[in-house]
Amino acid sequence: MAASKRKHASGQPCIIPGGFAVLSLKFSSDSAAQHTVYVKEHKVRAEKNSHRPLDRTLFVLNIPPYCSEAVITELFSQFGSVQSVELRDHPGSFQESGPKLSKLFRPAEKKGFKVGYIVFQKSSSVSSAKSHPADEPLVVCTEQRPVKTGVQKWIQQYTESFIQPDKLQQKVDSFMEGYDKRKREAEEKQKEEAEQEQEDEEGWVKVTKGHKGAKARPHSEAANKRTLQKEIRKKKRKELMNFYSWQQRNTQKEHIADLRKKFEEDKQKIALLRQQRKFRPY
């Protein structure tokens, strides 16, 4: 299918199939080359969280590698106050991976074009970004907002790769403090659950309903130990309740053993009489 030769009207937004609006980027004001990004209002019904509100989130495709989250924040602030910016390698749902880790504890990020989720303070900022004219490119690198590329960027990355020992120690200490805190909270929660499940004097176990959507947890070593202790207590109570019946069963066993012993002795006597040929049953 041949491309349309009709040019887009000057000063008007360019909308392509799929509902994406076209925005042009220029690295600097004197750059002749332009880069194209595609923006669209983020509307995913399956994603229900407060981090990406559907009415204030702008979905951006084809973000160049030299644009960091700080650069994107400054670049789109002209359409309104930016609340947060998230850059990812591929589009997808928001995933919380526990506490926010330092770059020292995260794997190296992939270099390449990315997708972004820009959350504005107001919903009108999304419409402003979508209605921006396609023939008015946004300038990435300015005097107020310099962006390093090429050799300068490599030198900066190499310099930042060296970490001062005192700063590293502070980050490790803060990480371990958070880890110890989460570990104590988990132990306290486990102790509370064990106390709730503990049997009373009559052997009743209190069962409580978990929160909605809770999944069954696999048996841990502590849970198996508690189950074993319950079985031992039940066995002891059963032995105490059947004390006299156990005595009766023991007496019956002893009586049966005596009868078997006498029967064997009688068999031996009969065999001895047969050998002596003195056995006359008739």
Side-chain angles (χ1 to χ4, degrees), residues 39-58:
V39 298
K40 181 182 180 181
E41 185 178 356
H42 180 59
K43 292 183 179 180
V44 180
R45 297 181 180 179
E47 185 176 357
K48 298 179 180 179
N49 57 72
S50 58
H51 301 278
R52 295 177 184 172
L54 301 181
D55 58 337
R56 294 187 289 111
T57 304
L58 185 69

Side-chain angles (χ1 to χ4, degrees), residues 252-266:
Q252 292 177 358
K253 289 180 180 179
E254 292 178 355
H255 181 63
I256 293 173
D258 292 339
L259 292 177
R260 289 178 177 175
K261 184 178 180 180
K262 291 180 180 180
F263 178 72
E264 293 294 333
E265 291 178 353
D266 292 341

Side-chain angles (χ1 to χ4, degrees), residues 8-14 22-24 26 34 132-138:
H8 191 76
S10 177
Q12 296 295 327
C14 178
V22 178
L23 293 182
S24 300
K26 291 178 64 175
Q34 296 184 5
H132 185 76
D135 56 351
E136 297 181 9
L138 306 178

Side-chain angles (χ1 to χ4, degrees), residues 100-118:
K100 188 175 182 180
L101 302 178
S102 172
K103 64 179 182 179
L104 302 176
F105 304 100
R106 294 197 303 262
E109 297 182 356
K110 297 180 180 179
K111 305 298 181 181
F113 292 88
K114 296 182 179 295
V115 299
Y117 297 89
I118 305 174

